[in-house]
Amino acid sequence: MKRLPLMRFYDHAMMFCIIVLLSSCIKEDYEQCPDYGKYRVVFNDADNSKGKTDYNVLICPLEKGKVSFANAYQYYRMADSSLLRSERELKLFPREYSFKALLSQNQMMLAGSNVSLKTGVMYLFADSSASVIKAVLNNVSLRFTLANSLIRVICNFSENPISQYRISKVEISSADDNGIELNMLSGRCNSAQEVTDFYDECVRESDSNVFNYYCEPIVKAKYLNFKVFVEDISANKTNVLFSRVFLNTNIEQGKVYDYRFDVTPFEIEFKTTSILDWNDYVHNTNISLN
């Protein structure tokens, strides 16, 4: 019985702490709330045309009125679902947020407000504003757009008999990606100042003679170098054709550049270039982004 007053003291002290916490939450000072003052947030990709590929997604919640990130969260977009998954459930205080997100097959790390980009890889960026409210579940939809640039090499291949030859692959000189970064606050990345002597292989679109290459933006007054490999099936040999194109304008972020060539088994001739915005390209071609 002698310990009863001490127990009552602890009870009163605990009750006082709870009242202080609740008082802070009532005043909308959510930083003082216990964990139950946060609410669950889940993300989905608004576009379901990304094909049979798994992607990594880096998400940074930015509170309205603030200009720096507190945390970055790693998510995964599996090929069979537009829902983004994470090993750790995200809970946030009720507020207005801007959710900055970067999607790629590559692993990505945030350094300050920047993420390093590598040439030859697709990066898509999203900036979606949403309110986190006091609800069991807050669903945020992310709409991604191209964060770097896309070059499409379109080969008009006409030769009789056509079955004897085929374009086996296309390569392009890679830009120097050293120091190329995307700022997660603005969604902008800097441009490559040089094109290297190294070649990267482009990715064929389905069974066509169109080959894709994702790269960082490139400043003008540089040469892009192309290799087209034409396989002679009957003779079991390959001819390598070379071409180069001078950049009269910059390769810009978020743009799609079509480079058209006339190709025979023994010659290649550059014809024209055209430029599309990413959203127009995606909507007009209805392609799978593999």
Side-chain angles (χ1 to χ4, degrees):
M1 296 297 296
K2 292 181 180 180
R3 295 184 179 180
L4 186 56
L6 184 58
M7 294 175 64
R8 287 178 179 172
F9 171 77
Y10 285 129
D11 290 341
H12 288 306
M14 182 64 70
M15 182 61 67
F16 176 77
C17 292
I18 292 173
I19 290 172
V20 170
L21 287 173
L22 291 177
S23 176
S24 298
C25 290
I26 291 171
K27 293 178 182 178
E28 302 298 313
D29 186 9
Y30 292 111
E31 296 297 345
Q32 302 301 319
C33 294
D35 194 54
Y36 63 77
K38 297 181 179 180
Y39 295 86
R40 186 183 174 207
V41 182
V42 297
F43 300 94
N44 72 282
D45 186 348
D47 181 11
N48 60 4
S49 65
K50 293 185 175 62
K52 302 298 183 182
T53 306
D54 296 339
Y55 292 97
N56 298 292
V57 185
L58 188 69
I59 298 179
C60 300
L62 180 63
E63 294 179 18
K64 187 176 181 180
K66 292 191 176 182
V67 293
S68 62
F69 301 116
N71 293 293
Y73 300 89
Q74 297 284 347
Y75 280 78
Y76 307 93
R77 186 194 189 280
M78 310 307 291
D80 59 351
S81 174
S82 62
L83 180 68
L84 305 186
R85 306 178 187 276
S86 177
E87 296 176 356
R88 180 182 177 185
E89 186 177 71
L90 177 63
K91 290 185 177 181
L92 296 173
F93 292 113
R95 286 177 186 162
E96 293 284 336
Y97 291 88
S98 176
F99 294 98
K100 316 283 187 174
L102 190 62
L103 176 148
S104 177
Q105 286 184 269
N106 271 19
Q107 289 285 345
M108 298 164 289
M109 296 293 294
L110 186 69
S113 298
N114 296 326
V115 177
S116 295
L117 304 186
K118 295 299 179 184
T119 193
V121 180
M122 180 183 74
Y123 293 91
L124 301 180
F125 181 77
D127 184 356
S128 299
S129 297
S131 298
V132 174
I133 62 174
K134 297 177 180 180
V136 174
L137 185 66
N138 289 268
N139 197 325
V140 178
S141 184
L142 301 173
R143 189 167 296 278
F144 291 91
T145 189
L146 186 62
N148 49 357
S149 309
L150 171 59
I151 293 174
R152 300 172 75 231
V153 184
I154 302 173
C155 299
N156 178 21
F157 187 57
S158 56
E159 182 69 18
N160 290 318
I162 189 66
S163 58
Q164 181 179 344
Y165 302 96
R166 75 179 189 95
I167 297 176
S168 57
K169 67 177 178 177
V170 171
E171 294 181 349
I172 186 172
S173 54
S174 62
D176 183 2
D177 61 11
N178 185 39
I180 302 300
E181 295 179 322
L182 180 134
N183 184 278
M184 290 290 287
L185 290 168
S186 66
R188 303 300 300 173
C189 67
N190 53 329
S191 298
Q193 302 299 307
E194 298 294 338
V195 176
T196 72
D197 294 328
F198 299 100
Y199 283 82
D200 284 337
E201 185 173 349
C202 304
V203 178
R204 186 191 295 266
E205 277 188 14
S206 302
D207 295 324
S208 68
N209 283 328
V210 179
F211 299 81
N212 293 338
Y213 184 70
Y214 290 93
C215 62
E216 59 271 30
I218 307 171
V219 298
K220 64 182 179 180
K222 308 296 177 185
Y223 279 99
L224 288 181
N225 302 305
F226 300 85
K227 288 183 187 178
V228 176
F229 295 75
V230 180
E231 182 182 358
D232 185 338
I233 299 172
S234 62
N236 193 27
K237 68 178 184 179
T238 300
N239 298 326
V240 183
L241 312 177
F242 294 87
S243 183
R244 66 188 331 211
V245 178
F246 185 75
L247 295 179
N248 292 312
T249 60
N250 295 332
I251 299 290
E252 296 182 9
Q253 181 182 8
K255 302 287 187 180
V256 180
Y257 294 80
D258 287 353
Y259 287 84
R260 294 179 175 84
F261 296 86
D262 281 348
V263 180
T264 75
F266 308 102
E267 294 181 343
I268 181 173
E269 181 183 3
F270 170 68
K271 303 300 290 185
T272 61
T273 303
S274 59
I275 307 172
L276 280 174
D277 286 327
W278 173 256
N279 290 333
D280 293 336
Y281 164 66
V282 171
H283 293 153
N284 292 340
T285 55
N286 193 27
I287 50 107
S288 176
L289 305 178
N290 288 330

